[in-house]
Amino acid sequence: MPSRLSFALLGCALAGLTGGAALWFAGDARLAAQLWSAGVIPVLLGLLVEILRSLRRGEVGLDIVAAVSMSAALLLGEALAAAVVALMYSGGTFLESYAETRARRDMTALLSRVPRRATRLVGGALQEVPLEALGPGDLVLIRRGDVVPVDGTLHSASALVDLSALTGESLPLRQSQGQEVMSGATNVGEAFELTAARRAADSTYAGIIRLVEAAQASKAPMARLADRWSLVFLALTLGLAAAAWWASGDPIRAVAVLVVATPCPLILAVPVALVAGLSRAARHGVLIKGARPLEALARIGTLILDKTGTLTDGRPQIVAIHTEAGFSAEEVLRAAAALDQASHHPIAQAVVAAALARGPMLPIPQETMETPGEGVTGRVEGQWVAVGGLGFVAVQLGGDLPSGPAAQAGSVQVAVAIGQRLAGRVVLADGLRPGTAALLAGLRRLGVGRILLATGDRRAVAEAVTAGLGLDALHAELTPEQKVALVRAEHARGGGGVMMVGDGVNDAPALAAADVGIAMGARGAAASAEAADVVLLVDRLDGLLAGLSIAQGARRIALQSVGAGLGLSVLGMIAAALGHLTPVQGALLQEAIDVAVILNALRALRITPALAAPVPAAPGPTGQGFS
């Protein structure tokens, strides 16, 4: 809420103006002028204190015009004009404070939802413990309505969670056993158990809170630019007021000019519009760390993308299942996934996750034996099964495997044998995220002229993954230092700011070097999130499109408000200098202008972000292929 001081100053100004008006209508003009003056003095003193603080910081703003106009009006006996200016200034300050409070509401809601305690399961018993006591591996009970306090893996069969506070998604998400659950989600279904993956202080939600606090403390370059421009406007105002006084010999005209110029919309519209843009972006899962990166994001001309975990999902996905005679794709996947439950290998876990996402619970394997890094054998529903590398399965079958499709760059083949026969091959790869081509096309429509790939992976893999995307350049096998050099080289080309998107520790230096660094916050490394200016709270790239369009909209609204407000103020100042406006009329006119520009700036809260084209649903198993 607005501060108590802004309430008090507004109350003094309003009481002085209305009380004086009542006395004036009652016929006591002298006492009315005294009451008007009494309402002005607290506002003027508060304003002088703020001016002194600004001067100590080396800032000179248009608050000086407000102080000069109130002082001049009091000295020249224009107590009513001074009272209107005082109400205008205190009311504008209050309205700006209220507008910023409303704009920040969605972001501060994150702070109010931070859980303080958690329910831990130990030996079958429940323990209420402080959040700091949770550690990796702890089993946590999440009751209906609870906010998930720590990142973890779903231990129960399923869970229904609401991610709207984090991502803006309106519908709850059903998650299955073994899937990652993000801290900050709300349980809207039955109670479930979660295995903590990390400490609460290192979890997604805790990191988001720290970023929110940093975002709220920022000040935009446009606002600082407004402070610099205010010197020009201050000189123009004082010069026009002096000229009006000199040409007419009437000091009241100078007071009218000063009143119309108080305060300037330049210092009201910019922060309100940009803070509103921050709030709007947060509702769509894009956490921008302050108004500086929001303004920079609006002027991006070049995009540099990391590959693994950014352009691609970063985890192996099944792209095909090649079956032998007598076996179906569903049968091969079910047998492989059931046996792979006994392995902690990332490939094995990817196979299990894919099967769970496509069907019912898997049978429990028996008599399992794993050869680390090669494969695993055992029995599934009474049948002998072997899953692993081609060489490992060949050894288990006692001979060479028949030739199969050639492996594509960046893919891996897992052989599956059932009942002493080769049943098929499961092909996994780290493929493009769904809808990537539509996303990049949308970014180009928003003015991103160059899109590049920068990866530490092999060139053959990068080329295979990005074929058909129409990238402007592809840079592979890069070290972190080379990524930084690429960012700087693109910056030297000109054509707008440079935006870098990445998720790994090796991306952090390039993220920091870019005009705008964007981190994949859902599963990305903490180092990249700390170095970045923007964090995508959900593990999808379409937040780029939403964030860019919101930033452009907020900046456009800020500039529109400034242009319209300054234009109207200058016209009013000229009219006052020519004697067409009295000080009171000028004060009322500027009050209307200030209210209008703030209300216009609040339109940034309703920006509709650009969205990528919808992604068609992935096809199901097709015998020889599997998507």
Side-chain angles (χ1 to χ4, degrees):
M1 291 298 296
S3 69
R4 292 181 180 178
L5 179 60
S6 65
F7 267 125
L9 294 180
L10 178 59
C12 289
L14 184 60
L17 182 61
T18 56
L23 290 171
W24 187 82
F25 281 113
D28 195 339
R30 185 182 63 82
L31 192 55
Q34 291 176 354
L35 192 54
W36 284 328
S37 299
V40 171
I41 290 173
V43 179
L44 182 57
L45 291 176
L47 179 55
L48 291 174
V49 171
E50 183 59 35
I51 290 172
L52 291 175
R53 289 176 178 172
S54 299
L55 291 175
R56 289 194 189 101
R57 296 193 300 264
E59 299 174 359
V60 179
L62 287 167
D63 289 346
I64 294 176
V65 177
V68 171
S69 64
M70 279 187 273
S71 301
L74 289 177
L75 291 174
L76 294 174
E78 292 285 342
L80 176 57
V84 174
V85 171
L87 179 63
M88 175 182 60
Y89 178 80
S90 59
T93 302
F94 176 85
L95 184 57
E96 180 185 2
S97 178
Y98 173 78
E100 291 194 10
T101 300
R102 178 186 170 187
R104 296 174 192 264
R105 184 171 56 200
D106 296 315
M107 291 163 60
T108 54
L110 290 172
L111 297 172
S112 65
R113 299 176 68 254
V114 180
R116 304 299 179 188
R117 299 182 67 82
T119 304
R120 183 170 59 187
L121 284 81
V122 180
L126 298 179
Q127 296 179 345
E128 289 290 329
V129 298
L131 204 59
E132 298 78 17
L134 291 181
D138 283 350
L139 194 62
V140 184
L141 177 65
I142 311 297
R143 299 183 178 91
R144 180 189 291 267
D146 283 354
V147 175
V148 178
V150 61
D151 293 344
T153 304
L154 184 60
H155 184 76
S156 301
S158 65
L160 188 65
V161 294
D162 178 9
L163 297 175
S164 59
L166 298 176
T167 67
E169 297 184 31
S170 58
L171 298 178
L173 175 68
R174 174 70 66 179
Q175 296 194 276
S176 303
Q177 187 177 41
Q179 289 187 316
E180 296 178 8
V181 181
M182 187 188 305
S183 59
T186 302
N187 179 18
V188 294
E190 298 302 319
F192 62 87
E193 295 175 3
L194 182 81
T195 303
R198 54 185 64 88
R199 296 185 308 116
D202 299 326
S203 290
T204 301
Y205 200 58
I208 292 172
I209 297 307
R210 288 192 293 271
L211 296 179
V212 168
E213 291 170 341
Q216 291 179 333
S218 71
K219 185 180 182 183
M222 284 183 71
R224 287 191 291 272
L225 182 61
D227 292 338
R228 293 196 297 270
W229 283 4
S230 67
L231 291 173
V232 177
F233 193 83
L234 176 59
L236 174 64
T237 301
L238 295 177
L240 189 56
W245 188 353
W246 175 82
S248 66
D250 184 3
I252 300 302
R253 289 198 185 185
V255 174
V257 171
L258 292 172
V259 165
V260 174
T262 312
C264 178
L266 191 62
I267 60 175
L268 294 175
V270 173
V272 172
L274 296 189
V275 173
L278 296 179
S279 173
R280 189 63 173 163
R283 288 180 62 88
H284 287 271
V286 183
L287 181 60
I288 304 176
K289 290 187 183 180
R292 177 195 296 272
L294 184 138
E295 188 193 355
L297 185 60
R299 295 181 291 183
I300 289 300
T302 299
L303 169 63
I304 302 176
L305 289 161
D306 174 48
K307 183 182 75 68
T308 306
T310 301
L311 199 60
T312 68
D313 185 66
R315 295 173 292 191
Q317 305 285 334
I318 295 178
V319 295
I321 296 180
H322 304 290
T323 60
E324 299 295 323
F327 296 95
S328 67
E330 295 90 340
E331 185 180 4
V332 171
L333 178 61
R334 178 178 169 82
L339 184 59
D340 272 342
Q341 292 177 105
S343 173
H344 292 290
H345 193 280
I347 297 296
Q349 293 303 303
V351 173
V352 173
L356 289 175
R358 291 169 168 86
M361 300 296 292
L362 297 170
I364 304 300
Q366 299 174 333
E367 302 176 20
T368 60
M369 182 177 297
E370 182 175 11
T371 302
E374 296 187 27
V376 60
T377 61
R379 291 191 174 275
V380 176
E381 297 178 322
Q383 280 191 310
W384 178 86
V385 177
V387 180
L390 300 181
F392 173 81
V393 173
V395 170
Q396 303 304 313
L397 295 179
D400 294 334
L401 298 182
S403 59
Q408 299 296 316
S411 67
V412 60
Q413 292 192 17
V414 176
V416 182
I418 302 176
Q420 300 298 326
R421 290 177 53 202
L422 178 67
R425 294 174 173 86
V426 180
V427 182
L428 299 97
D430 183 16
L432 283 176
R433 293 177 182 270
T436 299
L439 168 69
L440 298 186
L443 291 172
R444 290 191 186 277
R445 286 195 297 272
L446 290 178
V448 180
R450 282 176 58 79
I451 301 179
L452 301 81
L453 181 72
T455 178
D457 207 345
R458 292 175 291 125
R459 174 168 288 275
V461 174
E463 290 176 344
V465 167
T466 60
L469 286 183
L471 299 176
D472 294 287
L474 187 153
H475 301 269
E477 302 177 39
L478 298 181
T479 64
E481 293 80 5
Q482 289 172 327
K483 287 187 177 182
V484 171
L486 176 62
V487 168
R488 291 173 177 167
E490 288 299 319
H491 191 276
R493 287 175 60 100
V498 177
M499 175 168 61
M500 170 75 189
V501 186
D503 75 320
V505 175
N506 63 327
D507 297 318
L511 294 175
D515 294 301
V516 178
I518 299 184
M520 306 294 294
R523 289 189 291 114
S528 62
E530 290 293 332
D533 303 297
V534 181
V535 179
L536 302 183
L537 302 182
V538 64
D539 193 31
R540 296 200 307 263
L541 270 178
D542 51 4
L544 280 177
L545 202 58
L548 186 59
S549 60
I550 289 171
Q552 290 178 347
R555 183 172 184 268
R556 182 170 56 252
I557 288 171
L559 292 175
Q560 289 171 353
S561 299
V562 167
L566 282 180
L568 292 173
S569 293
V570 170
L571 290 177
M573 290 162 59
I574 294 172
L578 296 175
H580 299 306
L581 290 176
T582 67
V584 173
Q585 292 170 338
L588 294 174
L589 173 63
Q590 188 58 55
E591 173 79 359
I593 293 172
D594 291 334
V595 171
V597 298
I598 291 177
L599 294 177
N600 184 67
L602 281 172
R603 290 192 301 114
L605 285 170
R606 301 191 301 273
I607 295 172
T608 301
L611 300 175
V615 181
T622 58
Q624 295 299 316
F626 193 89
S627 297

